[in-house]
Amino acid sequence: MSANEEPPWSDVSRFPDFLDHLEQQGGATVRGIVDRIDADVDMDGVVYHDRGIRSPGYDATFVPEPEGERLRPAFSVELHTVGPRSVWAVFDATLSWDFYLLQAEGIAAIAWVSDEEYNAEESGMFLSKHDALAAGRFSFGTFIYADEDWQEQLELIEGTDTPAFLQRDDGSTLVPTSQDDFYSVVNSTPQEFRTNGGGAPPHLGLLELEVSID
């Protein structure tokens, strides 16, 4: 569940009723969220984070999934990718999700964590979700970058044939050379990602995950 990126986060604030707002509006982008709350956050791009999988994009869009498409209510996030990549994920909306804006010097992120994930993975070490997030403990998020920091993320993915790169447990970055190399490293297949989020446990609420490059 770790997304250790310049921890600890000095400012953690929760978006109230984010999924209800998403349902009413029909969708929301990271850039639109930052603009709407008038946050002091500069943004040139984002990096989608899924349990250590990282992929840069120019923005990301959250949408409620149409009713009847699957057996349970769901929402999805799609990355506006760099180049011919496809990165999107579908989440179980019946879980108890909270969305947060995280800020530290020179970086920000939007993260979403369910009660089920917190109870299964972090409640033994942290008194609240807020405390866990402040320590950089979350599985899903979009890191927000600007200026040289964004250019650094962009350069990691441009010129490669991989759909995403990977953050190791020690914080270093591994950049596969191709899609086959990426799936070899994560020990999975595109089909497994699309059908079960790469074997994600149920408490994470991840129903589908697409990580590919044409």
Side-chain angles (χ1 to χ4, degrees), residues 19-37:
L19 289 183
D20 289 341
H21 173 80
L22 198 65
E23 193 72 37
Q24 294 168 6
Q25 299 297 317
T29 64
V30 172
R31 190 178 299 276
I33 293 168
V34 170
D35 289 344
R36 181 172 61 85
I37 63 176

Side-chain angles (χ1 to χ4, degrees), residues 18-172:
F18 182 85
L19 289 183
D20 289 341
H21 173 80
L22 198 65
E23 193 72 37
Q24 294 168 6
Q25 299 297 317
T29 64
V30 172
R31 190 178 299 276
I33 293 168
V34 170
D35 289 344
R36 181 172 61 85
I37 63 176
D38 198 25
D40 185 20
V41 175
D42 293 328
M43 175 179 161
D44 289 327
V46 302
V47 173
Y48 176 72
H49 168 87
D50 184 316
R51 299 166 293 166
I53 296 168
R54 302 284 183 94
S55 189
Y58 300 103
D59 204 345
T61 299
F62 298 89
V63 296
E65 289 294 296
E67 292 185 12
E69 292 290 321
R70 47 185 47 81
L71 296 177
R72 68 192 78 180
F75 68 93
S76 63
V77 56
E78 182 174 4
L79 183 68
H80 305 187
T81 57
V82 177
R85 294 171 176 82
S86 180
V87 178
W88 53 263
V90 179
F91 296 90
D92 183 351
T94 66
L95 272 61
S96 300
W97 294 98
D98 284 312
F99 285 70
Y100 295 83
L101 175 67
L102 314 178
Q103 293 177 271
E105 186 175 355
I107 189 172
I110 292 174
W112 50 103
V113 180
S114 68
D115 288 351
E116 291 80 359
E117 178 180 1
Y118 167 74
N119 290 333
E121 300 195 9
E122 303 300 338
S123 60
M125 292 184 289
F126 299 96
L127 294 176
S128 67
K129 280 188 190 178
H130 181 284
D131 292 343
L133 284 154
R137 302 289 297 182
F138 55 91
S139 293
F140 310 109
T142 54
F143 293 94
I144 302 169
Y145 290 96
D147 303 324
E148 292 85 359
D149 292 331
W150 166 243
Q151 288 302 315
E152 181 180 342
Q153 299 298 317
L154 200 58
E155 289 168 6
L156 277 174
I157 206 77
E158 286 184 323
T160 75
D161 290 324
T162 184
F165 50 87
L166 300 152
Q167 185 184 42
R168 298 184 178 97
D169 290 341
D170 64 3
S172 62

